Amino acid sequence: MISSIAVQVLPMTADTEEVIRIVDHVIAYIDKSGVNYQVGAFESTLEGDYDQLMDILKNLPKVAAEISDIPVMVYSKINMATDSDVLTIAKKTDKYK
C-alpha cells in the first residue's frame, strides 16, 4: 500500500546554523531509508509503504537527538488509502518544474 507523509522537524533554537545541522542529519537518515522523498523549504515529503513510513516518522526525534540535545518538534501530515494508491510526489509537483 503506497502512502505519503509530509514531515517537518523543527529544532527549538534560534541558532539557524544548528537548525540546518540537525535538519541535514535527519534528511540524511531519510535518504538512507531508501524511500522516495522530496525536500521542500518547510517540510519533506516521503512516499512508500505505510508501515515503513511510520517507522521512519517515529524515529525522527531520536535521529535528531543523536547529534544534539536541543528539543525538536515534529509535525506531520499522513496520506494513506486502503483500496488504492495515493497521488505521488511526481503527480503533485512535476507540472511546476
Side-chain angles (χ1 to χ4, degrees):
M1 170 181 4
I2 297 296
S3 299
S4 63
I5 63 171
V7 62
Q8 178 188 34
V9 175
L10 183 60
M12 303 306 294
T13 179
D15 182 344
T16 57
E17 293 300 318
E18 189 66 359
V19 169
I20 291 169
R21 185 177 80 88
I22 294 168
V23 170
D24 284 349
H25 183 70
V26 169
I27 292 169
Y29 168 78
I30 293 168
D31 184 63
K32 288 179 187 173
S33 75
V35 300
N36 187 38
Y37 73 97
Q38 181 174 328
V39 175
F42 288 100
E43 63 189 15
S44 296
T45 304
L46 293 67
E47 58 189 15
D49 175 74
Y50 177 80
D51 290 329
Q52 183 182 16
L53 295 182
M54 292 303 100
D55 286 341
I56 293 168
L57 180 62
K58 77 176 183 181
N59 284 322
L60 295 183
K62 296 175 187 176
V63 170
E66 291 173 352
I67 63 165
S68 176
D69 61 355
I70 294 171
V72 297
M73 299 293 290
V74 178
Y75 301 96
S76 66
K77 296 177 257 184
I78 300 167
N79 185 2
M80 190 270 302
T82 56
D83 294 331
S84 63
D85 292 339
V86 299
L87 288 173
T88 65
I89 293 169
K91 286 181 184 176
K92 293 177 187 176
T93 63
D94 280 359
K95 64 184 172 187
Y96 298 107
K97 291 182 179 179

